[in-house]
Amino acid sequence: MAAPSSGPVTTLAWRGDAHVGHVVLLDQTRLPDEEVELEVHSAAEMIAAIRCLAVRGAPALGVAGAYGLVLALRELAGRAAQHLELVRARAAELAAARPTAVNLPAALARVRARAERELAAGADARALREALLAEARALEAEERAASEAMGRHGAELLADGAGVLTHCNAGALCTVGLGTALAPLYVAARQGKRLRVYADETRPLFQGARLTAWELARAGLEVTVLVDGAAGHLLARGAVQAVVVGADRIARNGDVANKVGTYPLAVLARRHGVPFYVVAPCTTLDPACPNGAAIPIEERDAREVTHPRGIATAPHGVRAFNPAFDVTPAELVSALVCERGVVHAPNEVRLAALLARAPAP
Amino acid sequence: MAAPSSGPVTTLAWRGDAHVGHVVLLDQTRLPDEEVELEVHSAAEMIAAIRCLAVRGAPALGVAGAYGLVLALRELAGRAAQHLELVRARAAELAAARPTAVNLPAALARVRARAERELAAGADARALREALLAEARALEAEERAASEAMGRHGAELLADGAGVLTHCNAGALCTVGLGTALAPLYVAARQGKRLRVYADETRPLFQGARLTAWELARAGLEVTVLVDGAAGHLLARGAVQAVVVGADRIARNGDVANKVGTYPLAVLARRHGVPFYVVAPCTTLDPACPNGAAIPIEERDAREVTHPRGIATAPHGVRAFNPAFDVTPAELVSALVCERGVVHAPNEVRLAALLARAPAP
């Protein structure tokens, strides 16, 4: 078992220098059967990896997108004007690979802005590559530190012996550090608290069964898997003292888009008087988005529903409804845990205050 | 496409006479891939068929149990005292095959009581077989008529153009007629109403995707499958005007045990102001059971969770929580539809009045 404090797993890393380096991903489509590394050498390969969910989770997607833009510079040739054009075009393509998480376009905007500054200052292709890799690496380091801080803040909300229900995978596998929703669990375990963790399997793609159960068990935590529909019975039995989930995008008013199936948990948690915590870095907050209704909800291929793990369950040709996310209204969120601290009963005023505050050291 | 009015499918039938006959089941574990008939020649084979869910659904289980007891009479030999002993022992074994639905023990008690009366009146083995087959056939005919009546009463609650969400399979496949929850849909369709039906896939065993989608599509109704966790988003989008489910057991106070994942739907329906209807024959009501807390909830094999359709999703050895049912409190039930009519806002007083009323013609 890997010690959680050492980082349960390496989701994503840049290997080599800015000129001949590449990205290495743990291919999450192969878990939990196999731990297979995927080498990514171009922006097009990164887009494919993002689309097929080899890499996933809002914070990891941001870092993946940033490195993807560094890889795009391989195509550089000719004059600086063309460099800028290429950076903008590839940033737009990478951002479009998945539409819901704000971290991906935000990370790309940051790296693109750096490119614009470097080019305005007369950087050549070589200098541009080095500058963009430095920017992507800084982003990665910040996400790692944010993960650790979320873990610290969130662990204070979890009592020794608590039952904790989580959905999808908001763990080490969706970040470059300890995770978002799972970071408090890893930190609490490090502090000697014994938790009973319940992981919704999370249809259609089974991220809870495949990824959350895998990384928690690997780190030595006690984990029990259940089908998504069984969470109501689990809560009714009093087995859960906290529901902890991540977020793909948080609107200005505190509405939270996260993996489909999150909203029912929030409604059930409220009914049973169990706190519902959202753990996400500040980069997940989208001040430009007024509320949940304005968050685009990706609809994915019907086959994910009709062919779990490739095996047909539904009769041939039946239609399917397959939203990847749902929206939990802010009023159901007991607290937002981010790297800057805990915001109880988040709303527009409290979130604006959070963003105005200087980042924690 | 089969016409729904002719009965979408034959779930279960007795073939032959009381002495050399047997039961034929549509093997529901093979749907939707194959329509395979399973011949059942002994009580032990019926217990196996019930346990593996080749036959399932509270009303069908009652009829299956009754015919199972007729099959047990094959073992008859010797004196009448031994006949009674055998009937009692096999009835207890059949009743234990699945613990939650009340129809199974109730049907067995009815057939066993008939056996006791016949034996007290001096029936021989041959007369006993004929009497018990007649009793089981009467039960089947009553269930079929109840299905039709539930369909008639329930159809009045469904408007033309409505979106209807259902869970698990409470259709023709779980009864010997039109079904319970699906009976109103078949009758409404027969009346020319166009419905959009949404079928939760219903993990762990996918009865919604495999069975409900299959039988509705076969009968020409429009059906869309979704993962259980997506029901919240579907309701939030306003696509659903009624949630309609069956029941495995209804307590005296109106609490409803049904397939796991039902309770979350009831909580969500209430939040969105959508009526939540339970459709079940009066045999599902258990006056001996004071409330939901007293209903035994079967826990099934962890492999159903960790190995959907036989393919591992969770890491090897991880534990699973697998309750087959959950309990929806009466206060969340908008109406109970049974063969005698519609009981709005069911509670102990209204259900007692329902049971006191003479059966509808």
Side-chain angles (χ1 to χ4, degrees):
Chain A
M1 298 277 180
S5 56
S6 67
V9 68
T10 299
T11 305
L12 164 68
W14 181 272
R15 209 170 270 170
D17 68 16
H19 313 293
V20 295
H22 61 272
V23 173
V24 176
L25 303 174
L26 178 63
D27 184 350
Q28 298 189 32
T29 63
R30 309 284 282 273
L31 290 176
D33 305 327
E34 298 173 299
E35 293 183 38
V36 178
E37 279 197 346
L38 189 68
E39 292 194 359
V40 177
H41 293 273
S42 68
E45 286 177 17
M46 186 60 86
I47 289 168
I50 290 171
R51 283 217 182 110
C52 80
L53 310 186
V55 58
R56 40 155 294 284
L61 284 174
V63 178
Y67 283 134
L69 202 49
V70 179
L71 291 170
L73 301 185
R74 295 287 152 75
E75 302 167 42
L76 283 181
R79 291 164 306 112
Q82 290 172 334
H83 297 183
L84 189 55
E85 204 175 298
L86 177 116
V87 166
R88 285 180 174 158
R90 290 297 168 277
E93 288 163 21
L94 281 156
R98 291 199 72 196
T100 299
V102 72
N103 307 54
L104 182 56
L108 287 161
R110 170 175 166 170
V111 179
R112 196 189 59 199
R114 174 75 181 263
E116 286 167 3
R117 289 199 306 276
E118 296 291 332
L119 289 166
D124 63 6
R126 189 171 177 86
L128 185 61
R129 280 197 289 266
E130 286 175 357
L132 295 208
L133 180 60
E135 193 70 35
R137 286 205 148 130
L139 178 72
E140 181 188 331
E142 288 162 30
E143 290 290 358
R144 197 177 298 278
S147 218
E148 192 66 35
M150 286 184 277
R152 253 186 355 258
H153 297 306
E156 290 171 28
L157 302 169
L158 302 175
D160 185 28
V164 181
L165 173 63
T166 188
H167 190 71
C168 196
N169 176 261
L173 289 167
C174 80
T175 64
V176 289
L178 290 179
T180 58
L182 299 191
L185 279 59
Y186 287 123
V187 172
R190 212 196 271 165
Q191 293 167 345
K193 291 177 188 165
R194 289 147 309 172
L195 304 176
R196 286 169 291 107
V197 187
Y198 295 97
D200 270 355
E201 66 170 3
T202 317
R203 279 282 286 148
L205 295 178
F206 298 105
Q207 292 96 333
R210 292 194 300 112
L211 308 179
T212 296
W214 179 81
E215 67 164 273
L216 289 175
R218 195 168 181 273
L221 277 80
E222 179 191 316
V223 60
T224 300
V225 176
L226 61 154
V227 300
D228 304 325
H233 188 61
L234 188 74
L235 278 151
R237 278 172 44 147
V240 178
Q241 281 68 53
V243 178
V244 181
V245 299
D248 287 82
R249 190 182 299 209
I250 301 174
R252 193 164 69 216
N253 73 340
D255 290 353
V256 174
N258 191 46
K259 179 57 54 195
V260 72
T262 300
Y263 167 55
L265 293 187
V267 174
L268 287 162
R270 172 60 51 92
R271 182 174 167 90
H272 290 283
V274 169
F276 180 85
Y277 300 125
V278 174
V279 186
C282 288
T283 46
T284 311
L285 271 159
D286 184 5
C289 178
N291 55 49
I295 301 177
I297 300 296
E298 175 186 5
E299 292 209 21
R300 295 178 59 87
D301 191 344
R303 272 186 70 91
E304 291 182 353
V305 177
T306 57
H307 289 69
R309 302 294 267 165
I311 311 284
T313 49
H316 183 71
V318 76
R319 72 183 83 187
F321 172 62
N322 188 21
F325 304 94
D326 62 21
V327 173
T328 299
E331 48 127 344
L332 295 177
V333 179
S334 307
L336 169 67
V337 178
C338 71
E339 68 273 38
R340 298 185 191 177
V342 177
V343 181
H344 292 278
N347 60 22
E348 186 147 357
V349 172
R350 294 193 183 107
L351 292 180
L354 172 79
L355 289 181
R357 214 191 300 164
Chain B
M1 298 277 180
S5 56
S6 67
V9 68
T10 299
T11 304
L12 164 67
W14 181 272
R15 209 170 270 170
D17 67 17
H19 313 293
V20 295
H22 61 272
V23 174
V24 177
L25 303 174
L26 178 63
D27 184 350
Q28 298 189 33
T29 64
R30 309 284 283 273
L31 291 176
D33 304 327
E34 299 173 297
E35 292 182 38
V36 179
E37 280 197 345
L38 189 67
E39 292 194 359
V40 178
H41 293 273
S42 68
E45 285 178 17
M46 185 61 85
I47 289 169
I50 290 171
R51 284 217 180 110
C52 80
L53 310 186
V55 58
R56 40 154 294 285
L61 284 175
V63 178
Y67 284 133
L69 202 49
V70 179
L71 291 170
L73 301 186
R74 296 288 151 77
E75 303 166 42
L76 283 181
R79 292 166 304 111
Q82 289 173 335
H83 297 183
L84 189 57
E85 203 177 298
L86 177 117
V87 165
R88 285 180 175 157
R90 291 296 169 277
E93 287 163 22
L94 281 156
R98 292 199 71 195
T100 299
V102 73
N103 307 54
L104 182 57
L108 287 161
R110 170 175 166 169
V111 179
R112 196 189 59 199
R114 175 74 182 262
E116 287 167 2
R117 287 198 307 275
E118 296 290 332
L119 289 167
D124 64 7
R126 189 171 177 86
L128 185 62
R129 279 196 290 266
E130 287 175 359
L132 295 207
L133 179 61
E135 193 71 36
R137 285 206 149 129
L139 179 72
E140 181 188 331
E142 289 163 29
E143 289 290 358
R144 196 177 298 280
S147 219
E148 192 65 37
M150 286 185 277
R152 253 186 355 258
H153 297 308
E156 290 171 27
L157 301 169
L158 302 176
D160 186 29
V164 181
L165 173 62
T166 188
H167 190 71
C168 196
N169 176 261
L173 289 167
C174 80
T175 63
V176 289
L178 290 178
T180 58
L182 299 191
L185 280 58
Y186 287 123
V187 172
R190 213 196 271 166
Q191 294 166 345
K193 292 178 187 166
R194 288 147 310 172
L195 305 176
R196 287 169 290 106
V197 187
Y198 296 97
D200 271 356
E201 67 170 3
T202 317
R203 280 283 284 146
L205 295 179
F206 298 107
Q207 292 96 332
R210 292 194 299 112
L211 308 179
T212 296
W214 179 82
E215 67 165 273
L216 289 175
R218 194 167 182 275
L221 276 81
E222 179 191 318
V223 59
T224 300
V225 176
L226 62 153
V227 300
D228 305 324
H233 189 59
L234 188 74
L235 278 152
R237 278 172 46 148
V240 177
Q241 281 68 52
V243 178
V244 181
V245 299
D248 288 82
R249 191 183 298 211
I250 302 174
R252 192 164 69 216
N253 73 340
D255 290 352
V256 174
N258 190 45
K259 180 57 53 195
V260 73
T262 299
Y263 167 55
L265 294 186
V267 174
L268 287 162
R270 173 59 52 94
R271 182 175 167 90
H272 290 284
V274 169
F276 180 85
Y277 299 125
V278 174
V279 186
C282 288
T283 46
T284 311
L285 270 158
D286 183 6
C289 178
N291 55 49
I295 302 176
I297 300 296
E298 175 185 5
E299 292 210 20
R300 294 179 58 88
D301 191 342
R303 272 185 70 92
E304 292 182 352
V305 177
T306 58
H307 290 69
R309 302 294 265 162
I311 311 284
T313 49
H316 183 70
V318 75
R319 73 182 83 188
F321 172 61
N322 188 21
F325 304 94
D326 62 21
V327 174
T328 299
E331 49 126 344
L332 295 177
V333 179
S334 307
L336 168 66
V337 179
C338 71
E339 68 273 37
R340 298 186 191 176
V342 177
V343 181
H344 292 278
N347 60 23
E348 186 148 355
V349 172
R350 294 194 183 106
L351 292 181
L354 173 79
L355 288 181
R357 213 190 302 165

